[in-house]
Amino acid sequence: MNFKPPETRPPSSTVTAEKAFSFISKGWREVRSSADADFQLLKNRANSFKNLADRELENFINSASISPFSVPTITASATLNPAPSYEIGFVKKLQPKLSEIRRAYSSPDFKFYSRPQIKIDLSAIKNAIVAGVEDEEEDKRKMFKKWKKVRFKESEREERQFGEFWEPIRTLKLRIRELEHKSSKEIMEEIKNSEFVEKFKSSLKAIYKDPNEPKVVLPLDVPELLACLVRQSSPLLDQLGIRGISDKILESLCSKRKNQIVSRSLPAGDSSILENNNINDELDLRIASVLQSTGHSYEGGFWKHDVSDKKRHVAIVTTASLPWMTGTAVNPLFRAAYLAKSAHQNVTLLVPWLSRSDQELVYPNNLTFSSPEEQESYIRSWLEERVGFKTDFRISFYPGKFSKARRSILPAGDTSQFISSKDADIAILEEPEHLNWYHHGQRWTDKFNHVVGIVHTNYLEYIKREKNGALQAFFVKHINNWVARAYCDKVLRLSAATQDLPKSVVCNVHGVNPKFLKIGEKVAAEKERGDQTFSKGAYFLGKMVWAKGYKELIDLLSKHKKDLDGFNLDVYGNGEDSHEVQSTAERLNLNLNFKKGRDHADDSLQGYKIFINPSVSDVLCTATAEALAMGKFVVCADNPSNDFFRAFPNCLTYTTPEDFVTKVKEAMANEPHPLTLEQRYNLSWEAATQRFMEYSELDKVLNNPGGIYSSKNSNKSLRKSTPMPNLNEMVDGGLAFAHYCLTGNEFLRLCTGAIPGTRDYDKQHCKDLHLMPPQVENPIYGW
């Protein structure tokens, strides 16, 4: 195929004019053809009418020349009865009139719409026919009169039609002939300058205009960018004691363009927006118009994609997955199910995928999966069995590796890339500090419109128990502040036991499995009937690591072994420290019966009356909430992690080891109180989801899609945008950039405890998750 080079192609205006002329010429040719066909039809009908009239007149003349108007032969009888003399006179008188009619009718100047004024004296014909014709001729006369009436009516109707349409058609043909005589160049010039063509083009644009077509808006120029920078630096200038200088600089930069800043972008007739001539307002409107033309909006961070016309999407990213029965695996799963249950937004749960070797280290009972689809099937069946409804959310996987030193799963590669850009709307980061310790990729607040972090774990408490824990805790505390400030718009802390992070608020946004609430209802019904509800004493359930409360439990029982004589405690759990915990309990001769870990809703655990939880490292113990939901007593430490449970009468908190003994004896001697409807609701996931929507401000985000233009405003007038990022936000962006640079260095990653080779995912992850190799997914063009 042969293409014209760009420099030889005709201008776009010429191409448009040629297309318009072609379209109009085609229409004119069609009108002309139609007019010619109509003229030919009228001509044929006129000739037919003329021929018919000629024939009828000829017949009439012939009939007048024969009997009874002919002169009979003179015979004897004729002399006795001579014929009337008026017959011969009538014929002689009639013939000149008929000749006149034929001459007028045959004249080339004869026109149907101007009927000739020919007066015919029909009284002689009438008298002659009445006087001398026979009955047969009388019938012919009547038929002639009838024919005459019909033909003259048709002639009048054709005359009216012809007179109505003749003049416009004649004018149109004249214009077409004039156009044909003009040269093509003259026609093109006339078309270009024609007001009709301009209106026609405007109408076509209005009809076929793409609603998603961006408006042509010029980008910000250098003076405008400098004005934005100066305005954002005004707090710093004020701190330096140079007050008012920023306003003068702004005025000098924008004074020459004061009347042009917004006129570039705003449509005509929208000058009402500029009633306030303040330079800051004008600059804000100018920035808003540029952003709107790109389809992006500003909402408290850098500029993000505008999703005002779409159904909102929530992505929940967590650090663990079933069958690992930990809080960051179970609670995000329930959150996804109940957020998707409302059907107001699409939900995706992003969980880590471990290779087979890591699965054997993490998942209990040697349970492993050969593919993500197999693990997803296991997760859904486990969840739907407990919530009692069909879940409608998507489960995706990102590469992860298990760290034996930290006893947790760390992401490999950029986790944010596993949420597509079209779905990057709202992100919920379960354990945001954990997810971002070694995050080397796109900033969450850059990709998503709203980012909420939920703090599950008190990492500082765990780290302090390790070697050089105080020093490590110091660095981890500041790193957590760093990543929370750089990567989240809002942070929710499940309890005050966690580190106080920037942009954070304390609220319990976790609920309990509905299955535990049903068990509690069953226990309450048994009490009403007077049946025995609990047949066993006390138990403890949790992952068997020292930091999960086992150290506190052994210390309490060893100090008060005599005070708690005869008190036996069953312990359920598996973990890395299980051998050390059991050997320590045997050495101290404690009444602890160790059993394998199992689901808290297992039938074997429903007969216990008291749940013991001495842990002070938990943020919000899920097992404590589940025990309360089942109607049991809970004996726990007076710690901020248990503040939410204080409102329940079955929660017995202690402050000292002696108080612990008192609470245990109190629980052994009494029966738990049945839960009220309000207490059950406060423990449910419905209530937890409502609290989450309120405290994360997600209800406001979902109900206010935002955007530069208001969709409810019929005139689509420009709405004032939020200001450019202030100094705090610029600092957050700087921290995120510095973090990105540091986590990109493999040496620094290894010095801070990262797993080797986790900056990108490995070949096994590519094979399991069907991913392209990292060097292909993120190529580096350096030549």
Side-chain angles (χ1 to χ4, degrees):
M1 298 177 66
N2 296 324
F3 294 92
K4 291 183 180 180
E7 62 274 4
T8 62
R9 295 179 183 174
S12 59
S13 60
T14 304
V15 175
T16 305
E18 290 178 355
K19 291 183 179 179
F21 172 70
S22 176
F23 177 79
I24 296 173
S25 299
K26 182 179 178 182
W28 281 346
R29 287 195 297 270
E30 292 177 355
V31 172
R32 177 182 171 185
S33 301
S34 178
D36 290 339
D38 292 339
F39 283 132
Q40 187 64 34
L41 179 61
L42 290 174
K43 185 176 180 181
N44 293 337
R45 294 185 65 181
N47 291 333
S48 175
F49 177 77
K50 178 180 178 182
N51 294 334
L52 181 61
D54 288 339
R55 287 196 300 271
E56 294 296 335
L57 288 172
E58 188 69 26
N59 292 336
F60 176 75
I61 293 172
N62 292 335
S63 64
S65 301
I66 60 173
S67 179
F69 301 102
S70 60
V71 180
T73 305
I74 300 175
T75 58
S77 60
T79 57
L80 295 175
N81 299 305
S85 62
Y86 67 82
E87 293 182 359
I88 298 174
F90 166 72
V91 173
K92 292 180 179 180
K93 184 179 180 180
L94 182 62
Q95 284 180 350
K97 296 294 184 181
L98 295 176
S99 300
E100 184 180 353
I101 294 173
R102 294 190 65 180
R103 284 197 305 270
Y105 187 79
S106 302
S107 175
D109 297 330
F110 176 79
K111 296 182 180 180
F112 293 103
Y113 54 85
S114 57
R115 187 166 37 176
Q117 302 297 325
I118 302 175
K119 297 181 180 180
I120 305 176
D121 188 5
L122 297 179
S123 60
I125 299 175
K126 179 179 179 181
N127 295 333
I129 293 173
V130 172
V133 299
E134 296 179 353
D135 294 340
E136 182 179 1
E137 297 302 326
E138 178 70 15
D139 295 335
K140 288 183 178 180
R141 184 186 64 79
K142 292 180 179 180
M143 292 178 63
F144 175 76
K145 291 179 65 178
K146 185 176 181 180
W147 167 84
K148 175 184 175 184
K149 184 177 181 180
V150 172
R151 293 306 302 169
F152 271 94
K153 286 184 177 180
E154 292 179 356
S155 176
E156 291 177 358
R157 183 170 63 253
E158 292 175 356
E159 180 181 345
R160 288 194 302 269
Q161 294 177 352
F162 192 74
E164 179 182 358
F165 292 103
W166 166 252
E167 188 64 25
I169 293 174
R170 185 163 61 88
T171 305
L172 180 61
K173 289 187 67 176
L174 181 62
R175 297 294 295 172
I176 293 174
R177 288 174 183 173
E178 291 177 357
L179 185 62
E180 289 176 347
H181 287 83
K182 290 183 179 181
S183 64
S184 60
K185 186 176 181 180
E186 293 176 351
I187 293 173
M188 293 298 296
E189 290 295 329
E190 186 174 349
I191 288 175
K192 288 181 182 178
N193 301 325
S194 174
E195 183 180 358
F196 167 77
V197 174
E198 294 298 328
K199 292 182 178 179
F200 183 75
K201 288 166 63 178
S202 301
S203 62
L204 288 179
K205 288 181 180 180
I207 294 173
Y208 297 105
K209 182 179 180 182
D210 186 2
N212 298 323
E213 180 182 359
K215 295 182 178 180
V216 179
V217 179
L218 296 177
L220 297 175
D221 55 18
V222 175
E224 290 169 340
L225 292 174
L226 290 175
C228 294
L229 180 61
V230 170
R231 187 175 62 175
Q232 296 307 317
S233 303
S234 58
L236 178 61
L237 297 175
D238 291 342
Q239 291 294 330
L240 296 176
I242 313 175
R243 294 182 178 273
I245 191 173
S246 60
D247 295 336
K248 294 182 179 179
I249 297 175
L250 278 175
E251 185 178 357
S252 63
L253 288 171
C254 300
S255 60
K256 296 181 181 180
R257 311 175 57 83
K258 188 173 183 180
N259 298 324
Q260 303 176 5
I261 291 178
V262 186
S263 59
R264 295 179 181 178
S265 315
L266 295 180
D270 286 351
S271 59
S272 59
I273 303 174
L274 302 179
E275 293 178 356
N276 184 2
N277 292 326
N278 187 278
I279 292 177
N280 290 321
D281 293 341
E282 294 177 355
L283 190 58
D284 285 339
L285 289 172
R286 170 71 174 129
I287 295 169
S289 64
V290 174
L291 293 173
Q292 192 276 336
S293 66
T294 62
H296 287 69
S297 62
Y298 174 74
E299 294 179 2
F302 286 93
W303 306 106
K304 310 164 192 176
H305 188 61
D306 183 8
V307 292
S308 57
D309 297 332
K310 303 177 182 178
K311 186 177 181 180
R312 308 307 295 267
H313 187 276
V314 178
I316 303 175
V317 188
T318 187
T319 58
S321 176
L322 295 180
W324 192 12
M325 299 300 297
T326 185
T328 54
V330 175
N331 291 308
L333 186 60
F334 281 106
R335 195 184 327 281
Y338 281 89
L339 280 177
K341 185 179 180 182
S342 64
H344 294 157
Q345 58 275 326
N346 297 322
V347 179
T348 296
L349 177 64
L350 191 61
V351 298
W353 167 260
L354 301 178
S355 60
R356 179 64 66 90
S357 58
D358 285 339
Q359 292 182 32
E360 294 173 353
L361 296 175
V362 178
Y363 299 152
N365 303 322
N366 296 323
L367 184 61
T368 59
F369 305 97
S370 59
S371 66
E373 292 77 12
E374 184 179 352
Q375 185 171 1
E376 178 181 353
S377 178
Y378 174 88
I379 293 171
R380 289 193 184 277
S381 61
W382 183 93
L383 177 63
E384 292 174 1
E385 180 184 355
R386 284 154 178 79
V387 298
F389 57 84
K390 189 73 174 178
T391 57
D392 185 19
F393 64 93
R394 186 171 59 187
I395 298 178
S396 299
F397 293 83
Y398 68 87
K401 283 184 174 292
F402 179 69
S403 173
K404 294 181 180 179
R406 297 180 181 271
R407 296 174 181 176
S408 59
I409 300 173
L410 297 176
D414 180 11
T415 309
S416 65
Q417 75 180 43
F418 295 94
I419 299 294
S420 63
S421 297
K422 66 177 182 178
D423 294 333
D425 183 13
I426 299 169
I428 301 173
L429 306 183
E430 311 278 350
E431 292 193 326
E433 67 275 56
H434 185 161
L435 285 169
N436 292 298
W437 278 333
Y438 305 105
H439 176 73
H440 181 70
Q442 188 172 5
R443 186 183 176 190
W444 295 95
T445 49
D446 285 351
K447 185 170 184 177
F448 292 83
N449 291 302
H450 189 65
V451 182
V452 180
I454 302 178
V455 180
H456 290 248
T457 309
N458 189 356
Y459 289 104
L460 299 182
E461 184 64 29
Y462 289 137
I463 293 173
K464 288 177 181 178
R465 299 169 184 264
E466 299 177 1
K467 185 179 180 181
N468 299 323
L471 181 61
Q472 294 186 52
F474 173 80
F475 287 108
V476 171
K477 178 181 179 180
H478 288 82
I479 292 174
N480 290 346
N481 285 330
W482 190 349
V483 296
R485 182 171 181 176
Y487 294 111
C488 296
D489 296 316
K490 194 76 174 180
V491 178
L492 300 181
R493 299 158 56 201
L494 297 179
S495 72
T498 59
Q499 176 184 344
D500 187 8
L501 296 172
K503 310 175 186 177
S504 65
V505 62
V506 176
C507 179
N508 174 24
V509 293
H510 285 176
V512 299
N513 188 333
K515 193 171 184 178
F516 295 103
L517 294 173
K518 292 180 180 179
I519 295 174
E521 294 175 359
K522 178 183 176 183
V523 170
E526 291 176 351
K527 285 185 177 181
E528 291 181 359
R529 295 194 302 266
D531 298 339
Q532 183 179 1
T533 55
F534 300 110
S535 58
K536 301 178 182 179
Y539 73 106
F540 175 57
L541 180 143
K543 184 179 180 181
M544 199 168 291
V545 292
W546 286 113
K548 281 292 185 180
Y550 286 91
K551 183 178 184 301
E552 290 81 2
L553 178 63
I554 290 178
D555 289 342
L556 289 172
L557 295 179
S558 61
K559 290 181 181 179
H560 300 279
K561 183 187 302 183
K562 295 181 180 179
D563 297 331
L564 295 173
D565 186 26
F567 175 75
N568 295 318
L569 183 67
D570 295 336
V571 179
Y572 295 87
N574 302 313
E576 295 83 354
D577 298 333
S578 58
H579 177 72
E580 295 181 11
V581 171
Q582 294 181 29
S583 60
T584 302
E586 290 177 0
R587 188 180 72 253
L588 297 175
N589 195 21
L590 301 178
N591 294 327
L592 295 177
N593 302 317
F594 293 96
K595 300 182 180 181
K596 290 184 178 181
R598 62 192 65 184
D599 194 335
H600 204 175
D602 191 270
D603 293 339
S604 60
L605 301 178
Q606 295 182 18
Y608 290 97
K609 184 173 68 170
I610 306 171
F611 176 74
I612 305 293
N613 183 17
S615 175
V616 294
S617 62
D618 285 328
V619 172
L620 186 80
C621 185
T622 303
T624 298
E626 293 169 349
L628 289 174
M630 289 189 288
K632 305 178 186 295
F633 274 125
V634 173
V635 178
C636 57
D638 185 5
N639 187 270
S641 62
N642 297 318
D643 286 344
F644 179 78
F645 305 123
R646 296 180 189 275
F648 296 87
N650 292 334
C651 179
L652 307 177
T653 59
Y654 64 90
T655 55
T656 62
E658 293 75 16
D659 195 18
F660 169 77
V661 175
T662 303
K663 299 299 182 182
V664 169
K665 291 182 177 181
E666 179 183 348
M668 294 292 292
N670 297 286
E671 289 294 322
H673 301 278
L675 295 177
T676 64
L677 293 177
E678 182 181 0
Q679 291 169 351
R680 292 176 186 173
Y681 176 76
N682 289 335
L683 290 171
S684 67
W685 265 106
E686 287 83 0
T689 304
Q690 183 178 1
R691 293 192 297 266
F692 171 75
M693 297 291 289
E694 178 182 357
Y695 281 84
S696 67
E697 299 180 355
L698 200 59
D699 52 350
K700 298 179 182 179
V701 174
L702 293 175
N703 294 329
N704 183 20
I708 300 301
Y709 284 93
S710 175
S711 59
K712 297 181 180 179
N713 196 347
S714 58
N715 60 8
K716 296 183 180 180
S717 61
L718 190 63
R719 199 174 61 182
K720 185 178 178 180
S721 69
T722 53
M724 288 285 288
N726 55 33
L727 286 178
N728 288 332
E729 293 163 349
M730 294 175 67
V731 170
D732 294 346
L735 291 175
F737 178 75
H739 184 264
Y740 177 84
C741 295
L742 293 175
T743 55
N745 186 284
E746 185 68 17
F747 176 75
L748 294 177
R749 291 173 65 91
L750 295 178
C751 290
T752 55
I755 301 175
T758 55
R759 191 180 69 175
D760 295 311
Y761 44 83
D762 56 21
K763 294 182 179 180
Q764 186 61 42
H765 285 130
C766 294
K767 180 180 179 181
D768 295 342
L769 297 175
H770 308 290
L771 301 173
M772 297 294 290
Q775 61 271 19
V776 177
E777 190 76 23
N778 303 300
I780 299 176
Y781 302 100
W783 61 85

